PDB file of all heavy atoms in Angstrom:
ATOM      1  N   ARG A 173      15.027  10.372 -79.784  1.00  0.00           N
ATOM      2  CA  ARG A 173      14.316   9.428 -80.709  1.00  0.00           C
ATOM      3  C   ARG A 173      14.843   9.696 -82.107  1.00  0.00           C
ATOM      4  O   ARG A 173      14.885  10.843 -82.601  1.00  0.00           O
ATOM      5  CB  ARG A 173      12.816   9.672 -80.668  1.00  0.00           C
ATOM      6  CG  ARG A 173      12.075   8.644 -81.549  1.00  0.00           C
ATOM      7  CD  ARG A 173      10.551   8.907 -81.482  1.00  0.00           C
ATOM      8  NE  ARG A 173       9.960   8.623 -80.121  1.00  0.00           N
ATOM      9  CZ  ARG A 173       9.532   9.524 -79.353  1.00  0.00           C
ATOM     10  NH1 ARG A 173       9.545  10.830 -79.707  1.00  0.00           N
ATOM     11  NH2 ARG A 173       9.091   9.212 -78.122  1.00  0.00           N
ATOM     12  N   LYS A 174      15.222   8.671 -82.779  1.00  0.00           N
ATOM     13  CA  LYS A 174      15.747   8.777 -84.203  1.00  0.00           C
ATOM     14  C   LYS A 174      14.726   8.219 -85.137  1.00  0.00           C
ATOM     15  O   LYS A 174      14.182   7.011 -84.981  1.00  0.00           O
ATOM     16  CB  LYS A 174      17.056   8.032 -84.352  1.00  0.00           C
ATOM     17  CG  LYS A 174      17.695   8.120 -85.744  1.00  0.00           C
ATOM     18  CD  LYS A 174      19.144   7.537 -85.755  1.00  0.00           C
ATOM     19  CE  LYS A 174      19.061   5.995 -85.587  1.00  0.00           C
ATOM     20  NZ  LYS A 174      20.383   5.402 -85.828  1.00  0.00           N
ATOM     21  N   HIS A 175      14.357   8.977 -86.157  1.00  0.00           N
ATOM     22  CA  HIS A 175      13.351   8.475 -87.214  1.00  0.00           C
ATOM     23  C   HIS A 175      13.941   8.939 -88.538  1.00  0.00           C
ATOM     24  O   HIS A 175      14.769   9.773 -88.712  1.00  0.00           O
ATOM     25  CB  HIS A 175      12.019   8.877 -86.946  1.00  0.00           C
ATOM     26  CG  HIS A 175      11.823  10.425 -86.857  1.00  0.00           C
ATOM     27  ND1 HIS A 175      12.143  11.124 -85.748  1.00  0.00           N
ATOM     28  CD2 HIS A 175      11.446  11.269 -87.810  1.00  0.00           C
ATOM     29  CE1 HIS A 175      11.939  12.445 -86.008  1.00  0.00           C
ATOM     30  NE2 HIS A 175      11.515  12.525 -87.279  1.00  0.00           N
ATOM     31  N   VAL A 176      13.371   8.320 -89.609  1.00  0.00           N
ATOM     32  CA  VAL A 176      13.860   8.525 -90.974  1.00  0.00           C
ATOM     33  C   VAL A 176      12.895   9.487 -91.672  1.00  0.00           C
ATOM     34  O   VAL A 176      11.630   9.320 -91.609  1.00  0.00           O
ATOM     35  CB  VAL A 176      13.901   7.251 -91.804  1.00  0.00           C
ATOM     36  CG1 VAL A 176      14.320   7.523 -93.186  1.00  0.00           C
ATOM     37  CG2 VAL A 176      14.867   6.284 -91.080  1.00  0.00           C
ATOM     38  N   VAL A 177      13.399  10.560 -92.281  1.00  0.00           N
ATOM     39  CA  VAL A 177      12.666  11.513 -93.152  1.00  0.00           C
ATOM     40  C   VAL A 177      13.249  11.472 -94.513  1.00  0.00           C
ATOM     41  O   VAL A 177      14.446  11.127 -94.727  1.00  0.00           O
ATOM     42  CB  VAL A 177      12.687  12.899 -92.569  1.00  0.00           C
ATOM     43  CG1 VAL A 177      12.019  12.955 -91.143  1.00  0.00           C
ATOM     44  CG2 VAL A 177      14.165  13.421 -92.516  1.00  0.00           C
ATOM     45  N   THR A 178      12.472  11.733 -95.478  1.00  0.00           N
ATOM     46  CA  THR A 178      12.895  11.829 -96.885  1.00  0.00           C
ATOM     47  C   THR A 178      12.828  13.251 -97.368  1.00  0.00           C
ATOM     48  O   THR A 178      11.831  13.959 -97.219  1.00  0.00           O
ATOM     49  CB  THR A 178      11.917  10.976 -97.767  1.00  0.00           C
ATOM     50  OG1 THR A 178      12.005   9.618 -97.249  1.00  0.00           O
ATOM     51  CG2 THR A 178      12.382  10.915 -99.179  1.00  0.00           C
ATOM     52  N   GLU A 179      13.857  13.671 -98.026  1.00  0.00           N
ATOM     53  CA  GLU A 179      13.915  15.020 -98.644  1.00  0.00           C
ATOM     54  C   GLU A 179      14.544  14.916-100.011  1.00  0.00           C
ATOM     55  O   GLU A 179      15.234  13.911-100.367  1.00  0.00           O
ATOM     56  CB  GLU A 179      14.742  15.925 -97.749  1.00  0.00           C
ATOM     57  CG  GLU A 179      16.213  15.536 -97.515  1.00  0.00           C
ATOM     58  CD  GLU A 179      16.961  16.492 -96.572  1.00  0.00           C
ATOM     59  OE1 GLU A 179      16.345  17.295 -95.965  1.00  0.00           O
ATOM     60  OE2 GLU A 179      18.255  16.369 -96.551  1.00  0.00           O
ATOM     61  N   ASN A 180      14.225  15.879-100.755  1.00  0.00           N
ATOM     62  CA  ASN A 180      14.822  15.991-102.213  1.00  0.00           C
ATOM     63  C   ASN A 180      16.217  16.621-102.132  1.00  0.00           C
ATOM     64  O   ASN A 180      16.390  17.672-101.484  1.00  0.00           O
ATOM     65  CB  ASN A 180      13.876  16.824-103.102  1.00  0.00           C
ATOM     66  CG  ASN A 180      12.654  16.057-103.394  1.00  0.00           C
ATOM     67  OD1 ASN A 180      12.701  14.841-103.474  1.00  0.00           O
ATOM     68  ND2 ASN A 180      11.523  16.743-103.364  1.00  0.00           N
TER      69      ASN A 180
END
Side-chain angles (χ1 to χ4, degrees):
R173 182 181 294 111
K174 183 173 70 171
H175 59 278
V176 178
V177 297
T178 302
E179 61 181 12
N180 290 321

